[in-house]
């Protein structure tokens, strides 16, 4: 099989966690347009996940909705078993599922802390480990990719930007950076590539309060030198590139897709 430049993921099989809405849904659709078959994982939003699958199928793609809470080991194992049952294996994992439980530090409950760490960090650990086990067992299939598998961790600009009122979230994303690089270092010899995408402000439900009124948008935009809020598809396109052989020599990297949010915009006329 020759991989077409328009469909760089032809013949590949992907799992996208947290894909019933927002960035995950956009990534699932973008991977499908690029040729991959996709498992649209969801935790609570079954109807929304079915709509994402419906959209993919309507565009002649192949997708399945599979429920799993990524912080639960046995549910993660069934999620990966679903890919093996349906398609005989896996080539791409996009570790996207994540939550915010915001609170002032002094009011943050242990449950707020644990929920965010368990899903954002523990969930990525469990899914990456399951994917890696499969990739090592399968080895390289040169007709579809030069790598035995690709893992893409969806992080955040808050893996480097401290975030008051979101200590749990920033800690989960900071931890993710070192987890991703350590896994990348360990698995490179097996030709498994592990990278991260760190989105900035992307217009989704998780940060609705930051963009839904003109006043909120006016407070947000000075943080984005490029002058616009991001769209979920900005992340979808980056994920396709990191999943494809176009990025075959890239591993252990974090791609900031943030309109320059990490460029210290407060210093533009200052300092
Ligand atoms: C958060 C959003 C926030 C963005 C930029 C993301 O990781 O989930 O709520 O708008 O970072 O601050």
């Amino acid at each position: 099989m020759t991989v077409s430049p328009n469909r760089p993921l032809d013949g590949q099989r992907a799992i996208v966690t947290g894909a019933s809405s927002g960035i995950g849904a956009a990534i699932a659709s973008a991977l499908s347009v690029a040729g991959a078959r996709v498992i649209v994982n969801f935790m609570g939003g079954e109807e929304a996940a079915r709509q994402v699958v419906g959209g993919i199928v309507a565009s002649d793609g192949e997708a399945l909705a599979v429920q799993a809470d990524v912080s639960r080991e046995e549910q993660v194992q069934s999620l990966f078993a679903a890919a093996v049952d349906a398609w005989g294996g896996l080539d791409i994992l996009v570790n996207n599922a994540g939550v915010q439980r915001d609170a002032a530090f002094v009011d943050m409950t242990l449950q707020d802390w644990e929920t965010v760490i368990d899903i954002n960090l523990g969930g990525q650990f469990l899914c990456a480990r399951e994917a890696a086990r499969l990739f090592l067992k399968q080895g390289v299939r040169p007709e579809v990719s030069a790598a035995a598998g690709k893992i893409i961790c969806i992080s955040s600009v808050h893996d480097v930007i401290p975030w008051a009122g979101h200590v749990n979230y920033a800690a989960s994303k900071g931890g993710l950076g070192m987890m991703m690089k350590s896994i990348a270092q360990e698995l490179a010899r097996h030709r498994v590539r592990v990278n991260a995408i760190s989105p900035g402000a992307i217009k989704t439900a998780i940060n609705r309060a930051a963009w839904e009124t003109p006043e909120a948008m006016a407070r947000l935009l000075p943080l984005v030198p490029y002058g616009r809020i991001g769209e979920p598809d900005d992340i979808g396109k980056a994920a396709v590139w990191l999943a494809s052989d176009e990025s075959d020599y890239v591993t252990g990297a974090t791609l900031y897709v943030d309109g320059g949010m990490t460029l210290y915009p407060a210093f533009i006329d200052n300092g």
Side-chain angles (χ1 to χ4, degrees), residues 100 155-158 163 166 169 173 199-202 206-207 210 220 261:
Q100 285 183 215
S155 180
S156 164
V157 290
H158 298 295
W163 206 14
H166 306 77
Y169 184 84
K173 297 300 187 177
I202 309 296
I206 207 172
N207 59 357
L220 177 68
M261 193 175 234

Side-chain angles (χ1 to χ4, degrees), residues 243-255:
S244 79
D245 282 1
E246 294 298 298
S247 61
D248 187 50
Y249 206 46
V250 181
T251 194
T254 297
L255 181 57

Side-chain angles (χ1 to χ4, degrees), residues 204-229:
T204 70
I206 207 172
N207 59 357
R208 183 178 298 282
W211 53 263
E212 75 177 340
T213 65
E215 297 73 33
M217 192 64 111
R219 279 197 306 276
L220 177 68
L221 287 183
L223 300 178
V224 188
Y226 204 61
R228 69 166 173 89
I229 191 166

Side-chain angles (χ1 to χ4, degrees), residues 15-217:
I15 291 178
V16 183
T17 66
S20 56
S21 69
I23 290 175
I27 293 173
S29 302
L31 295 183
S32 167
V33 169
R37 285 167 282 178
V38 186
I39 288 191
V40 172
N41 157 254
F42 65 96
M43 185 162 81
E46 175 155 15
E47 185 43 43
R50 297 212 178 281
Q51 278 175 23
V52 175
V53 167
I56 290 175
V57 171
S59 316
D60 293 329
E62 220 181 296
L64 292 172
V66 178
Q67 200 275 339
D69 174 344
V70 295
S71 67
R72 303 288 297 274
E73 189 170 29
E74 66 290 359
Q75 295 188 30
V76 168
Q77 279 161 352
S78 333
L79 171 64
F80 283 75
V84 176
D85 287 349
W87 299 321
L90 187 76
D91 305 283
I92 300 159
L93 164 67
V94 183
N95 249 336
N96 168 77
V99 294
Q100 285 183 215
R101 292 287 182 275
D102 310 329
F105 180 54
V106 291
D107 298 328
M108 189 171 278
T109 63
L110 181 58
Q111 194 178 353
D112 292 333
W113 171 265
E114 285 176 350
T115 301
V116 170
I117 298 294
D118 286 356
I119 294 176
N120 296 13
L121 191 55
Q124 292 219 15
F125 159 73
L126 288 171
C127 292
R129 190 187 63 179
E130 226 47 52
R133 286 174 175 166
L134 269 177
F135 295 159
L136 265 51
K137 200 154 63 175
Q138 289 169 185
V140 178
R141 297 191 300 145
E143 67 282 11
V144 296
S145 177
K150 282 84 54 159
I151 297 173
I152 300 168
C153 301
I154 304 303
S155 180
S156 164
V157 290
H158 298 295
D159 55 12
V160 289
I161 302 178
W163 206 14
H166 306 77
V167 167
N168 46 2
Y169 184 84
S172 73
K173 297 300 187 177
L176 191 52
M178 281 311 284
M179 186 178 87
M180 179 278 290
K181 285 196 240 186
S182 301
I183 301 172
Q185 189 192 61
E186 189 165 336
L187 298 186
R189 77 186 68 169
H190 300 288
R191 302 194 71 87
V192 173
R193 295 193 298 111
V194 188
N195 292 288
I197 298 173
S198 288
I202 309 296
K203 197 172 183 185
T204 70
I206 207 172
N207 59 357
R208 183 178 298 282
W211 53 263
E212 75 177 340
T213 65
E215 297 73 33
M217 192 64 111

